[in-house]
Amino acid sequence: MIRILLVLIMLAATAGAVVAYGDPARISAAGGMVTHMLRKASAGPARSVQIPRSENGEFTLHARINGVKVPMMIDTGATSVVLTYETAKAAGLPLELLEYDVDIETAGGHARAARLTLDRLAIGRLVERSVPALVVPRGQMKTNLLGMSFLNRLESWEVRADRLMLHGYP
């Protein structure tokens, strides 16, 4: 919707320049100036986050799930975001409605998990909505995993010099 509005404003400004100036060179310059202003306005702030590698070699961070700050570890081997029972409870997720009917393999072995959808998962300026996730029963895991159900939504992610860089779409 905003992009359509910006295009309409650009067209109106260019039409105004034609009427006001009547000179093709001035019209072209005005159109270029309007285009530059619109690109700058629509670009918005960069949606990127850098995460340093911890001393144990992992990339850990604090995310916000439905506004609640939770510790997480990046796990590119995890198909999904996986939350501990305790984290899901703290985030106010509907635990009483969950069915633990998904078989998963964790570093600790075989476990069962329940599917749910996170309304909002934010890491700094990167905010995703309706993120598929799993919750494991109490005591099954100690760490929340930020897996591919979140990472696949990003424009890109990469590791450079002990920093994980997450880049969201503009």
Side-chain angles (χ1 to χ4, degrees):
M1 180 67 179
I2 292 175
R3 288 185 180 177
I4 293 171
L5 184 60
L6 290 174
V7 168
L8 291 175
I9 291 170
M10 185 173 100
L11 290 173
T14 304
V18 168
V19 171
Y21 294 112
D23 179 12
R26 288 179 132 183
I27 293 169
S28 177
M33 184 175 73
V34 168
T35 301
H36 175 74
M37 288 187 320
L38 288 174
R39 280 191 184 139
K40 188 174 178 182
S42 67
R47 290 185 357 114
S48 296
V49 174
Q50 290 188 28
I51 303 159
R53 188 186 307 264
S54 65
E55 291 178 11
N56 64 4
E58 297 170 343
F59 292 103
T60 58
L61 55 99
H62 280 90
R64 290 202 174 272
I65 296 176
N66 299 344
V68 176
K69 187 175 178 181
V70 300
M72 299 194 87
M73 179 178 74
I74 302 283
D75 187 349
T76 59
T79 305
S80 183
V81 171
V82 183
L83 303 177
T84 65
Y85 180 90
E86 295 76 14
T87 296
K89 185 175 182 180
L93 299 174
L95 299 177
E96 63 281 352
L97 302 176
L98 299 181
E99 291 184 38
Y100 294 89
D101 58 357
V102 179
D103 290 320
I104 61 170
E105 290 296 323
T106 69
H110 179 78
R112 306 257 309 156
R115 294 181 207 276
L116 54 74
T117 301
L118 304 175
D119 292 335
R120 187 172 191 270
L121 175 56
I123 300 170
R125 294 174 125 169
L126 300 174
V127 179
E128 292 295 327
R129 297 188 182 280
S130 300
V131 178
L134 298 172
V135 175
V136 295
R138 187 185 317 254
Q140 289 289 316
M141 287 177 45
K142 295 180 181 177
T143 306
N144 301 300
L145 304 177
L146 188 71
M148 297 306 294
S149 63
F150 177 84
L151 296 173
N152 280 338
R153 292 171 169 234
L154 302 177
E155 182 174 24
S156 66
W157 52 271
E158 61 186 324
V159 177
R160 279 197 216 164
D162 288 332
R163 291 202 172 281
L164 175 65
M165 281 138 13
L166 306 175
H167 305 284
Y169 287 99

